[in-house]
């Protein structure tokens, strides 16, 4: 069936994988990538689909309601998959207001524009908010998991802004009958990941023999999911998720930061022809992140049971693929690590 879908944040890490999947898999859909191209947005992520007849890019800022409403009036989307966000916890500690503007106000602008466009006919429409497991707070290292009914308990300005936007999505469903769906996903890794996040940062630093900063004691635990598995989950939930429902997405793949970095170092030693143990010497323990959540772990059995999704890759295999991509795409990393990101990087780490 012909449909127009606006994907926000399509020039970013996860968004570019979602855009690529939808453009290639659904030639009958018109995919509109709406992105402000902040420091994290890079159209180079999408050169392979840029000329596809069912793909359009629109540069716009979701914090500007007039612009968003005009874009909705022009394209008349049947669906919105909303990923645009400020996404880095460390940046949220330095500048929480940017997160309130984009993640809270921006999401409300999109919800309102969708409600205004669809108010006569909500049937067949869908507003999908791509959210994070960080809204649930932190787990102890006790074998428990986040489920869809876990109480929200965000700790960082990032997770508080995502929790707030989730609440607004549900409020628009309950108050105005907006057809919505939400997913809360664990940490992603894979290609096109901005090198301020742990895995791409470490790959880049290992390559250049620079220190690998591990916060605190490195005992924090994350549940890592290959980004293309996340994109597949988004496809399934967008098409088959129940109106008003929430789905947790995770890799069932918990690693302490210490174990993860040691695994990455040994993969990199092998790929770069270094002796085993050489890269691990770059590990440098630095001041812990303020309010650093100890552990995230997702129970995704609802999504697996009800919609038949499951992760496709073992972590070691996914990590190898990711390292290969970064080593083959040095120019991508070099362009990103110049400019604004460079200034931010220096400012962040000069005092550590
Ligand atoms: P990212 O930082 O790589 O990309 C964000 C994109 O949003 C960029 O293209 C940027 O230009 C765009 N954007 C930012 N502010 C905007 C604005 N005001 N108007 C329009 N566009 C704007 O982020 P990501 O890691 O790809 O995350 C995408 C979404 O998935 C986010 O909503 C995030 O909360 C969620 N999420 C991320 C992870 C993860 O591990 N990265 C896990 C779970 C959920
Ligand atoms: P990150 O990639 O920023 O994702 P999130 O904070 O959303 O989980 O960080 C993943 C883990 O790695 C987290 O426990 C913080 C830690 N970390 C470091 O130890 N060093 C770093 O340089 C970065 C960026 C993160």
């Amino acid at each position: 069936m012909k449909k127009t879908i606006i994907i926000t944040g399509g020039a970013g890490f996860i968004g570019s994988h979602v855009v690529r999947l939808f453009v290639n898999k659904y030639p009958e859909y018109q995919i509109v990538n709406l992105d402000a191209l902040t420091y994290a947005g890079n159209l180079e992520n999408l050169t392979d689909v840029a000329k596809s007849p069912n793909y359009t890019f629109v540069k716009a800022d979701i914090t500007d309601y007039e612009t968003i409403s005009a874009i909705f009036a022009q394209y008349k989307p049947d669906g919105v998959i909303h990923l645009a966000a400020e996404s880095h916890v460390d940046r949220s500690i330095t500048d929480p207001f940017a997160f309130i503007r984009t993640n809270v106000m921006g999401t409300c602008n999109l919800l309102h524009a969708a409600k205004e466009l669809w108010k006569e006919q909500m049937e067949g429409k869908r507003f999908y908010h791509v959210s994070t497991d960080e809204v649930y707070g932190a787990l102890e290292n006790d074998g428990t998991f986040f489920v869809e009914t876990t109480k929200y308990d965000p700790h960082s300005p990032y997770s508080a802004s995502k929790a707030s936007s989730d609440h607004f999505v549900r409020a628009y469903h309950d108050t105005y009958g907006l057809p919505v769906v939400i997913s809360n996903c664990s940490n992603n890794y894979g290609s096109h990941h901005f090198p301020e996040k742990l895995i791409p940062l470490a790959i880049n630093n290992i390559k250049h023999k620079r220190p690998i900063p591990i916060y605190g004691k490195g005992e924090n635990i994350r549940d890592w999911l290959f980004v293309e598995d996340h994109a597949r989950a988004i496809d399934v939930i967008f098409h088959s998720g129940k109106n008003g429902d929430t789905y947790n997405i995770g890799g069932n793949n918990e690693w302490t930061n210490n174990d993860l970095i040691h695994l990455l170092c040994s993969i990199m030693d092998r790929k770069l022809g270094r002796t085993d143990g050489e890269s691990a010497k770059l590990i440098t323990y630095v001041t812990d992140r303020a309010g650093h959540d100890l552990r995230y772990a997702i129970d995704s059995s609802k999504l697996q049971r009800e919609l038949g999704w499951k992760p496709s890759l073992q972590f070691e295999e996914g990590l190898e693929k990711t390292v290969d991509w970064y080593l083959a795409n040095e120019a991508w990393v070099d362009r990103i690590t110049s400019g604004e990101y460079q200034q931010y990087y220096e400012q962040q780490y000069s005092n550590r």
Side-chain angles (χ1 to χ4, degrees):
M1 203 180 57
K2 256 185 116 46
K3 268 184 199 249
T4 298
I5 299 168
I6 291 185
I7 300 182
T8 73
F13 166 48
I14 302 170
S16 63
H17 286 277
V18 176
V19 167
R20 182 174 301 101
L21 176 71
F22 273 68
V23 167
N24 290 331
K25 187 170 172 187
Y26 301 107
E28 70 277 24
Y29 291 1
Q30 191 58 40
I31 303 300
V32 180
N33 172 12
L34 188 165
D35 198 297
L37 300 182
T38 67
Y39 80 96
N42 184 353
L43 286 178
E44 225 183 297
N45 295 352
L46 288 166
T47 40
D48 54 332
V49 294
K51 293 202 166 70
S52 303
N54 64 335
Y55 172 78
T56 309
F57 172 70
V58 178
K59 184 171 188 294
D61 189 330
I62 60 169
T63 64
D64 174 359
Y65 181 74
E66 298 310 316
T67 303
I68 294 306
S69 149
I71 291 169
F72 274 52
Q74 181 183 350
Y75 289 97
K76 298 192 174 45
D78 306 286
V80 175
I81 305 179
H82 173 37
L83 297 105
E86 288 293 338
S87 68
H88 189 40
V89 174
D90 293 333
R91 285 181 187 252
S92 84
I93 295 168
T94 335
D95 181 11
F97 289 99
F99 287 68
I100 298 166
R101 279 192 297 273
T102 291
N103 300 0
V104 185
M105 281 304 298
T107 302
C108 290
N109 286 338
L110 292 165
L111 286 166
H112 208 74
K115 183 210 106 179
E116 287 302 303
L117 180 70
W118 297 340
K119 63 185 168 195
E120 307 302 336
Q121 171 64 279
M122 297 273 189
E123 213 181 309
K125 308 294 193 291
R126 170 143 283 186
F127 188 103
Y128 182 166
H129 186 223
V130 176
S131 192
T132 167
D133 61 354
E134 302 190 25
V135 298
Y136 298 126
L139 294 166
E140 291 301 318
N141 196 0
D142 58 2
T144 54
F145 295 93
F146 295 135
V147 291
E148 284 80 359
T149 50
T150 300
K151 190 169 139 306
Y152 275 31
D153 184 22
H155 297 137
S156 72
Y158 165 65
S159 54
S161 69
K162 292 296 289 189
S164 172
S165 55
D166 282 356
H167 289 319
F168 274 104
V169 174
R170 293 195 180 98
Y172 267 71
H173 173 262
D174 295 350
T175 309
Y176 306 110
L178 195 76
V180 305
V181 69
I182 296 175
S183 60
N184 297 89
C185 187
S186 62
N187 287 62
N188 285 212
Y189 70 98
S191 70
H192 304 91
H193 202 180
F194 195 87
E196 65 186 348
K197 306 279 170 65
L198 179 67
I199 290 179
L201 176 87
I203 292 174
N204 200 35
N205 285 14
I206 293 168
K207 198 186 102 197
H208 294 289
K209 299 195 172 177
R210 288 200 291 251
I212 311 163
I214 296 188
Y215 298 166
K217 293 185 176 152
E219 286 164 1
N220 304 70
I221 293 170
R222 298 292 181 264
D223 171 3
W224 293 95
L225 179 70
F226 191 56
V227 63
E228 293 175 33
D229 282 336
H230 189 188
R232 277 194 307 107
I234 289 172
D235 178 18
V236 171
I237 294 167
F238 179 74
H239 287 98
S240 311
K242 210 167 127 227
N243 183 21
D245 256 22
T246 295
Y247 297 87
N248 278 354
I249 313 172
N252 200 16
N253 178 43
E254 293 178 49
W255 288 77
T256 64
N257 293 336
N258 281 331
D259 289 346
L260 161 57
I261 293 299
H262 278 282
L263 172 63
L264 194 57
C265 285
S266 70
I267 293 174
M268 295 282 289
D269 280 341
R270 179 160 42 79
K271 302 257 178 211
L272 297 171
R274 295 181 188 165
T275 51
D276 195 30
E278 198 181 329
S279 298
K281 290 188 191 134
L282 299 167
I283 291 173
T284 309
Y285 289 92
V286 299
T287 313
D288 206 356
R289 173 187 279 172
H292 196 173
D293 287 335
L294 177 66
R295 173 172 169 258
Y296 303 142
I298 276 275
D299 176 349
S300 64
S301 56
K302 175 180 175 186
L303 175 61
Q304 304 207 20
R305 192 177 56 246
E306 292 186 10
L307 304 183
W309 171 90
K310 60 176 193 310
S312 70
L313 280 189
Q314 290 296 319
F315 191 47
E316 284 80 353
E317 191 187 348
L319 211 48
E320 291 247 358
K321 273 178 92 153
T322 305
V323 169
D324 287 342
W325 187 86
Y326 277 92
L327 294 179
N329 289 276
E330 290 181 5
W332 183 92
V333 182
D334 290 347
R335 279 194 282 277
I336 278 204
T337 47
S338 59
E340 195 205 321
Y341 173 75
Q342 193 63 37
Q343 291 159 24
Y344 170 79
Y345 183 91
E346 278 165 11
Q347 191 192 329
Q348 287 295 302
Y349 293 101
S350 58
N351 54 1
R352 283 211 156 119

